[in-house]
Amino acid sequence: MRPRFYNMARDCAGLYQDRPALFFEGEGLSHAWTHRDLARASDGVAAGLRKKGLKRGDRLVLALPNGPEFPAVFFGAIKAGAIPIPVSATLKPGEIAFLKKDSGARLVLSEPARARKFMSAPGPAVRVPRTRGDDPAFWLYTSGTEGRPKAVIHAHRSIPAHDARNRLWLDLKKHDVVFNTSALNWSYALTCGLADVLRRGVTSVVFSGRPEPERLLEVVRKRRVTIFLSVPGLFRRLTEYFEKRPASRRLFRSVRVCLSAGEKLPAEIRTRFRSATGLTIREGLGMTEHSVYLVQPKGRRVVEGSCGRPLPGHRVAILREDLSPTRPGEVGILASHRSCPGLMSGYHRGLKEGKAAFRKGWFLSGDLAYRDEQGNYFFIGRRDDVITAGGYRISPMEVENVLNRHPAVRGSAAVGVEIAPGKTVVRGHVILKKGRKGTGTLKKSVLDFARRNLAPYKAPREIVFETSLPRTSTGKLIRKRFRSA
């Protein structure tokens, strides 16, 4: 869907009046808003921002944690004609100062108490500006795994563009309660867990605090969650929790849909989670520039290893460097055509990265993938993460999935390391489960396990024990950090 005129705030913030819109849960926080409440709060923000002097097109950096203030400010800014830029609430002052300068933002809101003053501003309902579907609605910054972060511009049309996803992946129904466990500044949570849900008059759970399994399950029970969206790491922790405490599984019985994005879900976690709950986790693949646009749809058997199929209405392909289409089974660049309604409008100031990414109408994602003859897509990894060793191209995720199956391993990162000019080998960086010590015997055990389960050219030549793995603010592994270690 590509509407000529459309405003996402008018569509998402208040249209359904007395239906429940938001459940807020966290430490010392547990209350609910109707769509009318959201409309009033966001209207107050819009009126306050206009009094502050913000005009149409002005930018606002929104560095608020999950809570009532976030949706009120996000939609209120759009109602005022401003452009909100959600960023992580954990950023340091210097990082926020950079984003404010880079974006040219007029205002930064990073304190919930200050945001609440805007929310309570008196006045009549705000007149929402008439916007075109292609007008900018909000910006998101990429996680910046290399170089400086880039501002991604999303148009109002990007929200109705998700209709097929809501139908085929989320399987939204009128009385659903949707719980996305992630921070709302992340595209996955902001669209799948908030805007898309509110637009349909459905209820969203906004959670703050540490996502410990027992706390998440209590929220699921209390709010009778029916759709649960999370990331592979949390699904792993929930699976382990269910296995240790079988009685806890009853707390999850209201859930009918489980979805995962952000990273590849290990097959063993899907299997164990299904055994514990009877539910199959379906995956989706997206990016800051395109949200989730490849999904494992409802009603189809999950093809193990696949990240799904392109959503209807999105022209997606796997291309060679010369932009010719690949054959089934051939690895190439995952690309979206500029005509895709959910694709970003572009990068702020164009940036040379943006000029390189768009070629002849195609946005080249930087991801490598292939498809099979049935149309299922398989994600290999970032072009700059793929390991080339012995003339072979190796997906680090394939190596990591094997390492993570070792009974002592909690998580891992696989990287290519040049040990001599022109000679690269695979090295595994591993964090161990609680109570396990990184002995020489255990290192040999992990190496032997990898060699038994991987082709010789894929198996790590070395294992390094770590206390943690570096990740972006959205939870993605930063493998580059290990290459010079």
Side-chain angles (χ1 to χ4, degrees):
M1 181 179 177
R2 204 177 186 109
R4 184 180 177 191
F5 292 98
Y6 178 77
N7 186 284
M8 65 173 289
R10 181 185 287 114
D11 211 13
C12 296
L15 194 63
Y16 294 89
Q17 295 299 301
D18 294 319
R19 280 200 209 173
L22 295 159
F23 291 141
F24 300 102
E25 293 291 342
E27 294 178 7
L29 176 69
S30 181
H31 66 274
W33 275 4
T34 63
H35 283 264
R36 190 188 304 275
D37 295 327
L38 174 60
R40 288 172 177 165
S42 55
D43 280 354
V45 169
L49 292 178
R50 286 177 176 173
K51 287 181 181 178
K52 194 77 175 173
L54 264 71
K55 299 181 177 61
R56 186 164 177 171
D58 285 344
R59 269 86 73 189
L60 161 71
V61 174
L62 194 170
L64 295 169
N66 282 14
E69 301 80 13
F70 188 106
V73 172
F74 180 77
F75 292 115
I78 297 173
K79 284 184 173 183
I83 299 173
I85 308 173
V87 300
S88 174
T90 64
L91 294 182
K92 304 300 181 187
E95 294 172 301
I96 290 180
F98 165 80
L99 297 179
K100 182 176 187 294
K101 181 178 179 180
D102 182 72
S103 65
R106 289 279 307 279
L107 183 68
V108 173
L109 276 179
S110 57
E111 299 171 2
R114 188 181 179 202
R116 285 194 291 274
K117 290 181 180 179
F118 283 102
M119 290 162 59
S120 60
V126 168
R127 184 180 178 84
V128 179
R130 188 170 188 245
T131 51
R132 293 181 177 274
D134 287 332
D135 287 345
F138 61 95
W139 292 10
L140 294 172
Y141 270 88
T142 59
S143 48
T145 57
E146 57 176 308
R148 65 184 182 85
K150 302 188 293 286
V152 173
I153 302 171
H154 281 286
H156 287 272
R157 59 165 160 77
S158 66
I159 301 305
H162 302 155
D163 283 353
R165 184 176 73 191
N166 297 338
R167 184 178 71 254
L168 297 175
W169 197 47
L170 273 75
D171 190 24
L172 281 180
K173 309 292 185 187
K174 182 177 178 179
H175 297 294
D176 275 327
V177 177
V178 181
F179 184 7
N180 190 310
T181 63
S182 304
L184 288 172
N185 65 283
W186 187 18
S187 174
Y188 175 38
L190 180 65
T191 60
C192 295
L194 186 70
D196 296 350
V197 175
L198 296 176
R199 179 173 180 265
R200 289 296 180 187
V202 183
T203 309
S204 174
V205 175
V206 175
F207 177 80
S208 59
R210 291 182 61 82
E212 301 297 340
E214 56 269 31
R215 295 189 64 200
L216 298 178
L217 290 174
E218 177 55 26
V219 172
V220 169
R221 181 203 64 78
K222 178 180 177 182
R223 296 303 187 181
R224 298 182 181 179
V225 170
T226 56
I227 301 178
F228 186 82
L229 296 85
S230 197
V231 294
L234 267 179
F235 275 117
R236 177 180 289 277
R237 292 173 64 188
L238 277 171
T239 299
E240 293 170 350
Y241 192 85
F242 286 139
E243 290 171 344
K244 290 178 181 177
R245 302 167 179 82
S248 67
R249 301 175 189 184
R250 61 182 174 79
L251 302 175
F252 209 70
R253 62 189 176 191
S254 63
V255 178
R256 65 180 181 83
V257 174
C258 283
L259 306 175
S260 178
E263 285 191 284
K264 183 66 189 162
L265 181 76
E268 53 107 4
I269 292 301
R270 193 195 318 272
T271 300
R272 289 164 58 192
F273 188 85
R274 185 190 296 124
S275 177
T277 66
L279 297 168
T280 297
I281 303 170
R282 291 186 283 112
E283 291 180 78
L285 177 72
M287 64 187 82
T288 306
E289 292 89 343
H290 203 166
S291 191
V292 176
Y293 65 106
L294 293 172
V295 304
Q296 294 173 336
K298 68 173 185 177
R300 282 183 176 269
R301 180 181 66 85
V302 168
V303 177
E304 206 58 68
S306 168
C307 55
R309 296 165 172 259
L311 288 166
H314 287 75
R315 187 178 168 192
V316 180
I318 300 174
L319 305 176
R320 302 186 182 100
E321 290 289 347
D322 64 2
L323 302 188
S324 62
T326 59
R327 300 182 303 273
E330 180 184 354
V331 174
I333 305 165
L334 187 58
S336 305
H337 195 265
R338 192 184 283 275
S339 62
C340 291
L343 183 63
M344 67 171 181
S345 302
Y347 294 114
H348 174 45
R349 291 199 301 263
L351 297 177
K352 67 178 183 180
E353 295 99 323
K355 294 175 182 175
F358 280 102
R359 291 170 53 195
K360 296 183 179 180
W362 289 99
F363 171 68
L364 307 179
S365 69
D367 292 332
L368 294 179
Y370 70 92
R371 61 180 174 83
D372 63 17
E373 293 186 353
Q374 288 71 46
N376 300 297
Y377 281 58
F378 296 79
F379 178 68
I380 298 298
R382 296 290 298 174
R383 293 169 74 184
D384 50 7
D385 275 344
V386 170
I387 303 165
T388 301
Y392 294 97
R393 298 170 89 183
I394 304 165
S395 166
M397 294 188 302
E398 184 179 3
V399 179
E400 290 157 6
N401 286 341
V402 170
L403 292 174
N404 293 343
R405 282 163 41 202
H406 188 281
V409 174
R410 184 169 185 81
S412 64
V415 297
V417 181
E418 191 173 51
I419 59 173
K423 185 175 183 181
T424 298
V425 299
V426 180
R427 183 170 67 196
H429 293 260
V430 165
I431 53 173
L432 299 174
K433 291 181 179 177
K434 191 174 181 180
R436 304 303 297 261
K437 294 183 178 180
T439 63
T441 300
L442 183 53
K443 184 177 292 188
K444 183 178 183 302
S445 173
V446 174
L447 283 170
D448 289 344
F449 181 83
R451 288 166 184 155
R452 288 197 302 272
N453 290 279
L454 288 166
Y457 69 90
K458 297 178 184 177
R461 294 276 291 273
E462 182 184 3
I463 294 293
V464 178
F465 292 123
E466 307 283 357
T467 57
S468 63
L469 300 176
R471 295 182 181 273
T472 68
S473 59
T474 59
K476 294 182 180 180
L477 269 175
I478 308 176
R479 297 181 179 87
K480 286 188 172 184
R481 295 271 182 89
F482 291 121
R483 289 180 187 164
S484 59

